[in-house]
Structure formats: C-alpha cells, structure tokens
PDB file of all heavy atoms in Angstrom:
ATOM      1  N   PRO A1464       0.828  -1.222   0.000  1.00 82.00           N
ATOM      2  CA  PRO A1464       0.000   0.000   0.000  1.00 82.00           C
ATOM      3  C   PRO A1464       0.857   1.265   0.000  1.00 82.00           C
ATOM      4  O   PRO A1464       1.854   1.356   0.725  1.00 82.00           O
ATOM      5  CB  PRO A1464      -0.799  -0.126   1.305  1.00 82.00           C
ATOM      6  CG  PRO A1464      -0.860  -1.591   1.558  1.00 82.00           C
ATOM      7  CD  PRO A1464       0.455  -2.152   1.080  1.00 82.00           C
ATOM      8  N   THR A1465       0.464   2.224  -0.815  1.00 83.00           N
ATOM      9  CA  THR A1465       1.244   3.451  -0.967  1.00 83.00           C
ATOM     10  C   THR A1465       1.439   4.173   0.355  1.00 83.00           C
ATOM     11  O   THR A1465       2.543   4.633   0.684  1.00 83.00           O
ATOM     12  CB  THR A1465       0.548   4.386  -1.973  1.00 83.00           C
ATOM     13  OG1 THR A1465       0.364   3.687  -3.197  1.00 83.00           O
ATOM     14  CG2 THR A1465       1.380   5.635  -2.211  1.00 83.00           C
ATOM     15  N   LYS A1466       0.378   4.294   1.137  1.00 86.00           N
ATOM     16  CA  LYS A1466       0.482   4.988   2.415  1.00 86.00           C
ATOM     17  C   LYS A1466       1.446   4.268   3.357  1.00 86.00           C
ATOM     18  O   LYS A1466       2.125   4.897   4.161  1.00 86.00           O
ATOM     19  CB  LYS A1466      -0.897   5.103   3.079  1.00 86.00           C
ATOM     20  CG  LYS A1466      -1.869   6.044   2.378  1.00 86.00           C
ATOM     21  CD  LYS A1466      -1.463   7.491   2.518  1.00 86.00           C
ATOM     22  CE  LYS A1466      -2.555   8.424   2.008  1.00 86.00           C
ATOM     23  NZ  LYS A1466      -2.109   9.836   1.962  1.00 86.00           N
ATOM     24  N   PHE A1467       1.504   2.932   3.265  1.00 86.00           N
ATOM     25  CA  PHE A1467       2.417   2.179   4.123  1.00 86.00           C
ATOM     26  C   PHE A1467       3.868   2.482   3.761  1.00 86.00           C
ATOM     27  O   PHE A1467       4.729   2.567   4.644  1.00 86.00           O
ATOM     28  CB  PHE A1467       2.152   0.680   4.019  1.00 86.00           C
ATOM     29  CG  PHE A1467       3.040  -0.158   4.897  1.00 86.00           C
ATOM     30  CD1 PHE A1467       2.920  -0.107   6.277  1.00 86.00           C
ATOM     31  CD2 PHE A1467       4.004  -0.978   4.342  1.00 86.00           C
ATOM     32  CE1 PHE A1467       3.742  -0.868   7.096  1.00 86.00           C
ATOM     33  CE2 PHE A1467       4.832  -1.751   5.154  1.00 86.00           C
ATOM     34  CZ  PHE A1467       4.706  -1.700   6.532  1.00 86.00           C
ATOM     35  N   VAL A1468       4.145   2.645   2.465  1.00 87.00           N
ATOM     36  CA  VAL A1468       5.500   3.009   2.043  1.00 87.00           C
ATOM     37  C   VAL A1468       5.880   4.371   2.629  1.00 87.00           C
ATOM     38  O   VAL A1468       6.971   4.547   3.185  1.00 87.00           O
ATOM     39  CB  VAL A1468       5.609   3.039   0.505  1.00 87.00           C
ATOM     40  CG1 VAL A1468       6.983   3.548   0.068  1.00 87.00           C
ATOM     41  CG2 VAL A1468       5.361   1.652  -0.073  1.00 87.00           C
ATOM     42  N   MET A1469       4.979   5.329   2.533  1.00 88.00           N
ATOM     43  CA  MET A1469       5.241   6.667   3.061  1.00 88.00           C
ATOM     44  C   MET A1469       5.384   6.630   4.581  1.00 88.00           C
ATOM     45  O   MET A1469       6.253   7.280   5.152  1.00 88.00           O
ATOM     46  CB  MET A1469       4.122   7.621   2.627  1.00 88.00           C
ATOM     47  CG  MET A1469       3.972   7.740   1.108  1.00 88.00           C
ATOM     48  SD  MET A1469       2.507   8.654   0.562  1.00 88.00           S
ATOM     49  CE  MET A1469       3.030  10.340   0.893  1.00 88.00           C
ATOM     50  N   PHE A1470       4.517   5.848   5.231  1.00 87.00           N
ATOM     51  CA  PHE A1470       4.574   5.693   6.685  1.00 87.00           C
ATOM     52  C   PHE A1470       5.911   5.086   7.110  1.00 87.00           C
ATOM     53  O   PHE A1470       6.513   5.494   8.106  1.00 87.00           O
ATOM     54  CB  PHE A1470       3.414   4.799   7.128  1.00 87.00           C
ATOM     55  CG  PHE A1470       3.195   4.732   8.609  1.00 87.00           C
ATOM     56  CD1 PHE A1470       2.405   5.658   9.252  1.00 87.00           C
ATOM     57  CD2 PHE A1470       3.761   3.707   9.366  1.00 87.00           C
ATOM     58  CE1 PHE A1470       2.181   5.589  10.630  1.00 87.00           C
ATOM     59  CE2 PHE A1470       3.552   3.633  10.731  1.00 87.00           C
ATOM     60  CZ  PHE A1470       2.760   4.573  11.366  1.00 87.00           C
ATOM     61  N   SER A1471       6.406   4.115   6.346  1.00 88.00           N
ATOM     62  CA  SER A1471       7.673   3.448   6.672  1.00 88.00           C
ATOM     63  C   SER A1471       8.863   4.381   6.478  1.00 88.00           C
ATOM     64  O   SER A1471       9.837   4.336   7.238  1.00 88.00           O
ATOM     65  CB  SER A1471       7.834   2.190   5.820  1.00 88.00           C
ATOM     66  OG  SER A1471       6.797   1.267   6.077  1.00 88.00           O
ATOM     67  N   LEU A1472       8.788   5.234   5.449  1.00 88.00           N
ATOM     68  CA  LEU A1472       9.852   6.214   5.243  1.00 88.00           C
ATOM     69  C   LEU A1472       9.950   7.154   6.445  1.00 88.00           C
ATOM     70  O   LEU A1472      11.049   7.483   6.907  1.00 88.00           O
ATOM     71  CB  LEU A1472       9.590   7.016   3.964  1.00 88.00           C
ATOM     72  CG  LEU A1472       9.748   6.260   2.643  1.00 88.00           C
ATOM     73  CD1 LEU A1472       9.303   7.137   1.475  1.00 88.00           C
ATOM     74  CD2 LEU A1472      11.192   5.821   2.439  1.00 88.00           C
ATOM     75  N   VAL A1473       8.811   7.557   6.951  1.00 90.00           N
ATOM     76  CA  VAL A1473       8.798   8.419   8.133  1.00 90.00           C
ATOM     77  C   VAL A1473       9.327   7.657   9.343  1.00 90.00           C
ATOM     78  O   VAL A1473      10.055   8.205  10.176  1.00 90.00           O
ATOM     79  CB  VAL A1473       7.377   8.952   8.410  1.00 90.00           C
ATOM     80  CG1 VAL A1473       7.335   9.757   9.703  1.00 90.00           C
ATOM     81  CG2 VAL A1473       6.905   9.814   7.244  1.00 90.00           C
ATOM     82  N   GLY A1474       8.992   6.372   9.422  1.00 85.00           N
ATOM     83  CA  GLY A1474       9.501   5.550  10.510  1.00 85.00           C
ATOM     84  C   GLY A1474      11.018   5.470  10.508  1.00 85.00           C
ATOM     85  O   GLY A1474      11.663   5.500  11.571  1.00 85.00           O
ATOM     86  N   GLY A1475      11.597   5.388   9.315  1.00 85.00           N
ATOM     87  CA  GLY A1475      13.056   5.397   9.215  1.00 85.00           C
ATOM     88  C   GLY A1475      13.639   6.690   9.739  1.00 85.00           C
ATOM     89  O   GLY A1475      14.673   6.688  10.435  1.00 85.00           O
ATOM     90  N   LEU A1476      12.974   7.805   9.428  1.00 86.00           N
ATOM     91  CA  LEU A1476      13.415   9.094   9.962  1.00 86.00           C
ATOM     92  C   LEU A1476      13.305   9.108  11.482  1.00 86.00           C
ATOM     93  O   LEU A1476      14.172   9.663  12.182  1.00 86.00           O
ATOM     94  CB  LEU A1476      12.553  10.216   9.366  1.00 86.00           C
ATOM     95  CG  LEU A1476      12.797  11.633   9.904  1.00 86.00           C
ATOM     96  CD1 LEU A1476      14.211  12.083   9.579  1.00 86.00           C
ATOM     97  CD2 LEU A1476      11.772  12.604   9.328  1.00 86.00           C
ATOM     98  N   GLY A1477      12.271   8.451  12.009  1.00 82.00           N
ATOM     99  CA  GLY A1477      12.090   8.402  13.456  1.00 82.00           C
ATOM    100  C   GLY A1477      13.227   7.682  14.162  1.00 82.00           C
ATOM    101  O   GLY A1477      13.620   8.064  15.275  1.00 82.00           O
ATOM    102  N   ILE A1478      13.772   6.664  13.517  1.00 81.00           N
ATOM    103  CA  ILE A1478      14.920   5.961  14.103  1.00 81.00           C
ATOM    104  C   ILE A1478      16.114   6.901  14.228  1.00 81.00           C
ATOM    105  O   ILE A1478      16.822   6.925  15.238  1.00 81.00           O
ATOM    106  CB  ILE A1478      15.284   4.724  13.249  1.00 81.00           C
ATOM    107  CG1 ILE A1478      14.152   3.693  13.320  1.00 81.00           C
ATOM    108  CG2 ILE A1478      16.598   4.105  13.724  1.00 81.00           C
ATOM    109  CD1 ILE A1478      14.345   2.516  12.387  1.00 81.00           C
ATOM    110  N   VAL A1479      16.333   7.713  13.186  1.00 84.00           N
ATOM    111  CA  VAL A1479      17.438   8.678  13.209  1.00 84.00           C
ATOM    112  C   VAL A1479      17.233   9.681  14.346  1.00 84.00           C
ATOM    113  O   VAL A1479      18.166   9.996  15.103  1.00 84.00           O
ATOM    114  CB  VAL A1479      17.547   9.406  11.850  1.00 84.00           C
ATOM    115  CG1 VAL A1479      18.608  10.505  11.917  1.00 84.00           C
ATOM    116  CG2 VAL A1479      17.888   8.413  10.744  1.00 84.00           C
ATOM    117  N   VAL A1480      16.004  10.190  14.474  1.00 82.00           N
ATOM    118  CA  VAL A1480      15.696  11.148  15.545  1.00 82.00           C
ATOM    119  C   VAL A1480      15.921  10.508  16.907  1.00 82.00           C
ATOM    120  O   VAL A1480      16.533  11.109  17.808  1.00 82.00           O
ATOM    121  CB  VAL A1480      14.242  11.650  15.414  1.00 82.00           C
ATOM    122  CG1 VAL A1480      13.846  12.484  16.633  1.00 82.00           C
ATOM    123  CG2 VAL A1480      14.072  12.465  14.143  1.00 82.00           C
ATOM    124  N   HIS A1481      15.437   9.290  17.066  1.00 73.00           N
ATOM    125  CA  HIS A1481      15.589   8.581  18.341  1.00 73.00           C
ATOM    126  C   HIS A1481      17.062   8.454  18.730  1.00 73.00           C
ATOM    127  O   HIS A1481      17.452   8.777  19.867  1.00 73.00           O
ATOM    128  CB  HIS A1481      14.950   7.189  18.232  1.00 73.00           C
ATOM    129  CG  HIS A1481      15.026   6.389  19.493  1.00 73.00           C
ATOM    130  ND1 HIS A1481      13.930   6.175  20.298  1.00 73.00           N
ATOM    131  CD2 HIS A1481      16.064   5.753  20.099  1.00 73.00           C
ATOM    132  CE1 HIS A1481      14.289   5.456  21.342  1.00 73.00           C
ATOM    133  NE2 HIS A1481      15.587   5.171  21.240  1.00 73.00           N
ATOM    134  N   MET A1482      17.882   7.984  17.801  1.00 79.00           N
ATOM    135  CA  MET A1482      19.289   7.764  18.114  1.00 79.00           C
ATOM    136  C   MET A1482      20.012   9.077  18.392  1.00 79.00           C
ATOM    137  O   MET A1482      20.885   9.145  19.262  1.00 79.00           O
ATOM    138  CB  MET A1482      19.965   7.016  16.964  1.00 79.00           C
ATOM    139  CG  MET A1482      19.412   5.616  16.714  1.00 79.00           C
ATOM    140  SD  MET A1482      19.435   4.570  18.188  1.00 79.00           S
ATOM    141  CE  MET A1482      21.207   4.393  18.427  1.00 79.00           C
ATOM    142  N   ALA A1483      19.650  10.132  17.662  1.00 83.00           N
ATOM    143  CA  ALA A1483      20.300  11.428  17.875  1.00 83.00           C
ATOM    144  C   ALA A1483      19.971  11.979  19.263  1.00 83.00           C
ATOM    145  O   ALA A1483      20.859  12.485  19.982  1.00 83.00           O
ATOM    146  CB  ALA A1483      19.861  12.407  16.789  1.00 83.00           C
ATOM    147  N   VAL A1484      18.689  11.898  19.657  1.00 80.00           N
ATOM    148  CA  VAL A1484      18.285  12.398  20.970  1.00 80.00           C
ATOM    149  C   VAL A1484      18.914  11.547  22.074  1.00 80.00           C
ATOM    150  O   VAL A1484      19.397  12.070  23.091  1.00 80.00           O
ATOM    151  CB  VAL A1484      16.749  12.406  21.089  1.00 80.00           C
ATOM    152  CG1 VAL A1484      16.319  12.756  22.516  1.00 80.00           C
ATOM    153  CG2 VAL A1484      16.153  13.394  20.102  1.00 80.00           C
ATOM    154  N   LEU A1485      18.921  10.232  21.893  1.00 76.00           N
ATOM    155  CA  LEU A1485      19.515   9.343  22.886  1.00 76.00           C
ATOM    156  C   LEU A1485      21.001   9.640  23.076  1.00 76.00           C
ATOM    157  O   LEU A1485      21.499   9.699  24.209  1.00 76.00           O
ATOM    158  CB  LEU A1485      19.304   7.886  22.468  1.00 76.00           C
ATOM    159  CG  LEU A1485      19.880   6.818  23.409  1.00 76.00           C
ATOM    160  CD1 LEU A1485      19.231   6.914  24.785  1.00 76.00           C
ATOM    161  CD2 LEU A1485      19.676   5.423  22.813  1.00 76.00           C
ATOM    162  N   ALA A1486      21.709   9.838  21.955  1.00 80.00           N
ATOM    163  CA  ALA A1486      23.135  10.134  22.037  1.00 80.00           C
ATOM    164  C   ALA A1486      23.396  11.445  22.771  1.00 80.00           C
ATOM    165  O   ALA A1486      24.339  11.560  23.563  1.00 80.00           O
ATOM    166  CB  ALA A1486      23.735  10.188  20.629  1.00 80.00           C
ATOM    167  N   LEU A1487      22.541  12.439  22.533  1.00 83.00           N
ATOM    168  CA  LEU A1487      22.697  13.732  23.195  1.00 83.00           C
ATOM    169  C   LEU A1487      22.423  13.630  24.695  1.00 83.00           C
ATOM    170  O   LEU A1487      23.192  14.149  25.521  1.00 83.00           O
ATOM    171  CB  LEU A1487      21.748  14.749  22.560  1.00 83.00           C
ATOM    172  CG  LEU A1487      21.707  16.142  23.209  1.00 83.00           C
ATOM    173  CD1 LEU A1487      23.060  16.825  23.069  1.00 83.00           C
ATOM    174  CD2 LEU A1487      20.610  16.989  22.588  1.00 83.00           C
ATOM    175  N   LEU A1488      21.337  12.959  25.056  1.00 77.00           N
ATOM    176  CA  LEU A1488      20.966  12.864  26.468  1.00 77.00           C
ATOM    177  C   LEU A1488      21.931  11.984  27.259  1.00 77.00           C
ATOM    178  O   LEU A1488      22.373  12.346  28.355  1.00 77.00           O
ATOM    179  CB  LEU A1488      19.540  12.309  26.597  1.00 77.00           C
ATOM    180  CG  LEU A1488      18.409  13.207  26.080  1.00 77.00           C
ATOM    181  CD1 LEU A1488      17.081  12.466  26.135  1.00 77.00           C
ATOM    182  CD2 LEU A1488      18.324  14.499  26.872  1.00 77.00           C
ATOM    183  N   PHE A1489      22.264  10.825  26.718  1.00 73.00           N
ATOM    184  CA  PHE A1489      23.101   9.875  27.435  1.00 73.00           C
ATOM    185  C   PHE A1489      24.571  10.290  27.431  1.00 73.00           C
ATOM    186  O   PHE A1489      25.327   9.932  28.336  1.00 73.00           O
ATOM    187  CB  PHE A1489      22.942   8.490  26.805  1.00 73.00           C
ATOM    188  CG  PHE A1489      23.644   7.400  27.556  1.00 73.00           C
ATOM    189  CD1 PHE A1489      23.328   7.115  28.878  1.00 73.00           C
ATOM    190  CD2 PHE A1489      24.659   6.667  26.952  1.00 73.00           C
ATOM    191  CE1 PHE A1489      23.984   6.112  29.579  1.00 73.00           C
ATOM    192  CE2 PHE A1489      25.325   5.661  27.648  1.00 73.00           C
ATOM    193  CZ  PHE A1489      24.980   5.379  28.962  1.00 73.00           C
ATOM    194  N   GLY A1490      24.948  11.081  26.403  1.00 76.00           N
ATOM    195  CA  GLY A1490      26.338  11.515  26.298  1.00 76.00           C
ATOM    196  C   GLY A1490      26.588  12.824  27.000  1.00 76.00           C
ATOM    197  O   GLY A1490      26.760  12.865  28.236  1.00 76.00           O
ATOM    198  N   PRO A1491      26.611  13.933  26.278  1.00 79.00           N
ATOM    199  CA  PRO A1491      26.962  15.238  26.855  1.00 79.00           C
ATOM    200  C   PRO A1491      26.094  15.647  28.045  1.00 79.00           C
ATOM    201  O   PRO A1491      26.582  16.264  28.994  1.00 79.00           O
ATOM    202  CB  PRO A1491      26.769  16.203  25.681  1.00 79.00           C
ATOM    203  CG  PRO A1491      26.909  15.356  24.467  1.00 79.00           C
ATOM    204  CD  PRO A1491      26.362  14.018  24.821  1.00 79.00           C
ATOM    205  N   LEU A1492      24.796  15.325  28.031  1.00 75.00           N
ATOM    206  CA  LEU A1492      23.906  15.757  29.112  1.00 75.00           C
ATOM    207  C   LEU A1492      23.896  14.792  30.296  1.00 75.00           C
ATOM    208  O   LEU A1492      23.296  15.091  31.333  1.00 75.00           O
ATOM    209  CB  LEU A1492      22.481  15.937  28.568  1.00 75.00           C
ATOM    210  CG  LEU A1492      22.327  16.996  27.477  1.00 75.00           C
ATOM    211  CD1 LEU A1492      20.873  17.132  27.051  1.00 75.00           C
ATOM    212  CD2 LEU A1492      22.865  18.344  27.937  1.00 75.00           C
ATOM    213  N   GLU A1493      24.514  13.624  30.134  1.00 72.00           N
ATOM    214  CA  GLU A1493      24.712  12.644  31.220  1.00 72.00           C
ATOM    215  C   GLU A1493      23.406  12.236  31.912  1.00 72.00           C
ATOM    216  O   GLU A1493      23.340  12.097  33.131  1.00 72.00           O
ATOM    217  CB  GLU A1493      25.713  13.184  32.252  1.00 72.00           C
ATOM    218  CG  GLU A1493      27.093  13.451  31.662  1.00 72.00           C
ATOM    219  CD  GLU A1493      28.079  13.945  32.704  1.00 72.00           C
ATOM    220  OE1 GLU A1493      27.635  14.271  33.822  1.00 72.00           O
ATOM    221  OE2 GLU A1493      29.276  13.982  32.400  1.00 72.00           O
ATOM    222  N   VAL A1494      22.373  12.065  31.132  1.00 72.00           N
ATOM    223  CA  VAL A1494      21.112  11.542  31.656  1.00 72.00           C
ATOM    224  C   VAL A1494      21.223  10.019  31.726  1.00 72.00           C
ATOM    225  O   VAL A1494      21.831   9.386  30.855  1.00 72.00           O
ATOM    226  CB  VAL A1494      19.939  11.960  30.753  1.00 72.00           C
ATOM    227  CG1 VAL A1494      18.631  11.354  31.246  1.00 72.00           C
ATOM    228  CG2 VAL A1494      19.833  13.482  30.695  1.00 72.00           C
TER     229      VAL A1494
END
C-alpha cells in the first residue's frame, strides 16, 4: 500500500531522531 510506504519512510526518519536524541541525552547531558 502506498500509504504504508510513506509511513515506513517516516519511521526510518524516526529511528534517526531517536538515536540522535539518545546520544545527546546519554552523552553530553549525562542523563
């Protein structure tokens, strides 16, 4: 389904956002 392809592309972007925020919080901010 076309919408599923678009939804999955956004999901891939979400993984990037997740890892970037995690790296920032767990690293420099020492959370």
Side-chain angles (χ1 to χ4, degrees):
T1465 304
K1466 291 290 189 188
F1467 181 68
V1468 175
M1469 301 171 76
F1470 190 87
S1471 298
L1472 290 174
V1473 175
L1476 175 63
I1478 294 173
V1479 174
V1480 172
H1481 181 106
M1482 297 305 293
V1484 173
L1485 180 61
L1487 176 64
L1488 293 174
F1489 186 60
L1492 298 182
E1493 299 182 349
V1494 177

